[in-house]
Amino acid sequence: MKKSLLALSIGTLLCGTAIAGPADYVYLPTVEHGEKELDFKFGSTRHPSGVTNQVTSLGLGYGATENWFTELYLKSEKEGETARLNILEWENKFQLTETGKYPLEIGLITELEFPINKGGSANEIKFGPLFQTEFGKLQLNGNLLFERAFGGVVEPDDEPRKTVFQYQWQAKYRWEKEFEFGLQGFGETGEWNHWAPHNAQQHKIGPAIFGKIALSGHQALKYNAAWLIGTTDATPNNTFRMQAEYEF
């Protein structure tokens, strides 16, 4: 019991720095030149303490080149009864390998977050490599991410800022273009070079669905959603996340 409480306390401490949000999605390493999209994301989770966290975001993205996709989001976060925090997020994805040329597709993600309604709140940067491979109808993805807060007001009693390691993975069976299914997993281990005890880390896994519905011309609707179950004391028991995109 004491070990569980200690792990939960460490997990809560980690929540005060960088943490994988409930609306986070699995980044893909490929880019489509000229593609434009409206992107909506939603996530809801309940922490072991009983506090509910909800995140929504709306973004506009563009495939600027064959290797570069850029997207600007307005994201809103609310945890428990605290005031809603609005964030401006700028995401840039770079495809590093030619599509289909090698067994492994490789990309790079960089993401900047800037709070816009809480004076003194820290900004955040996230970056890391993206990997994808295929075996017949099975598509596998794995991403290694590093996140760190910077800027804002640092109080004397604040915890030291650390670079936190996160991961994402996905296994998808491409049954039909309109409906595919698989598993997703997200996690955070603490400081990248000094991981927290296992039960204080965050790991969640669960079933996911995917699909793309073609519309007229080059337009399409894409969706994916997952129900994720926490596997450690520091992880929310249940997380629901979804993403819907309109491509044009």
Side-chain angles (χ1 to χ4, degrees):
M1 180 67 177
K2 289 183 178 179
K3 289 183 178 179
S4 296
L5 289 175
L6 176 61
L8 182 57
S9 298
I10 298 174
T12 303
L13 182 61
L14 285 174
C15 291
T17 56
I19 189 168
D24 284 2
Y25 70 104
V26 176
Y27 303 114
L28 304 181
T30 52
V31 170
E32 186 172 336
H33 183 206
E35 178 183 281
K36 298 182 286 292
E37 69 176 35
L38 287 172
D39 182 9
F40 173 77
K41 293 192 287 290
F42 171 80
S44 180
T45 194
R46 188 177 181 86
H47 295 291
S49 62
V51 176
T52 299
N53 185 20
Q54 288 190 343
V55 177
T56 58
S57 74
L58 184 64
L60 178 63
Y62 177 59
T65 73
E66 293 182 352
N67 304 97
W68 172 38
F69 186 86
T70 185
E71 190 157 8
L72 199 63
Y73 292 94
L74 182 61
K75 184 164 73 173
S76 181
E77 298 184 355
K78 191 173 192 306
E79 185 166 345
E81 300 302 319
T82 60
R84 188 171 295 276
L85 175 62
N86 295 318
I87 296 170
L88 184 65
E89 185 173 287
W90 186 28
E91 179 184 299
N92 288 280
K93 181 170 64 177
F94 303 93
Q95 183 173 335
L96 304 181
T97 55
E98 186 177 337
T99 303
K101 187 173 183 179
Y102 305 102
L104 189 66
E105 308 279 6
I106 302 175
L108 175 71
I109 192 75
T110 64
E111 186 179 276
L112 291 167
E113 289 190 355
F114 305 98
I116 56 178
N117 72 326
K118 264 195 177 181
S121 293
N123 309 308
E124 287 185 358
I125 182 170
K126 182 188 292 185
F127 62 94
L130 316 175
F131 305 97
Q132 177 177 299
T133 191
E134 298 178 0
F135 300 93
K137 287 194 171 185
L138 182 64
Q139 177 183 308
L140 302 176
N141 292 84
N143 304 326
L144 309 175
L145 305 173
F146 302 87
E147 185 170 301
R148 186 179 180 90
F150 68 96
V153 176
V154 180
E155 301 293 343
D157 57 347
D158 285 349
E159 288 294 320
R161 291 179 177 175
K162 301 174 181 179
T163 300
V164 174
F165 174 70
Q166 301 175 351
Y167 69 84
Q168 307 173 337
W169 64 265
Q170 175 176 285
K172 179 173 71 172
Y173 183 74
R174 297 178 300 183
W175 184 42
E176 298 287 348
K177 185 177 293 186
E178 293 80 10
F179 182 78
E180 304 165 329
F181 56 89
L183 293 171
Q184 288 185 338
F186 299 80
E188 182 174 296
T189 62
E191 191 173 6
W192 73 278
N193 60 348
H194 186 70
W195 289 9
H198 175 73
N199 215 34
Q201 299 173 18
Q202 293 216 13
H203 303 281
K204 50 191 176 185
I205 180 176
I209 57 172
F210 317 82
K212 181 174 182 178
I213 302 169
L215 305 175
S216 60
H218 296 288
Q219 301 175 79
L221 289 175
K222 291 178 64 176
Y223 69 88
N224 68 85
W227 186 268
L228 306 167
I229 299 169
T231 63
T232 65
D233 286 350
T235 313
N237 293 331
N238 295 282
T239 298
F240 172 73
R241 58 149 305 277
M242 61 84 65
Q243 180 182 18
E245 299 174 346
Y246 169 58
E247 298 179 350
F248 58 99

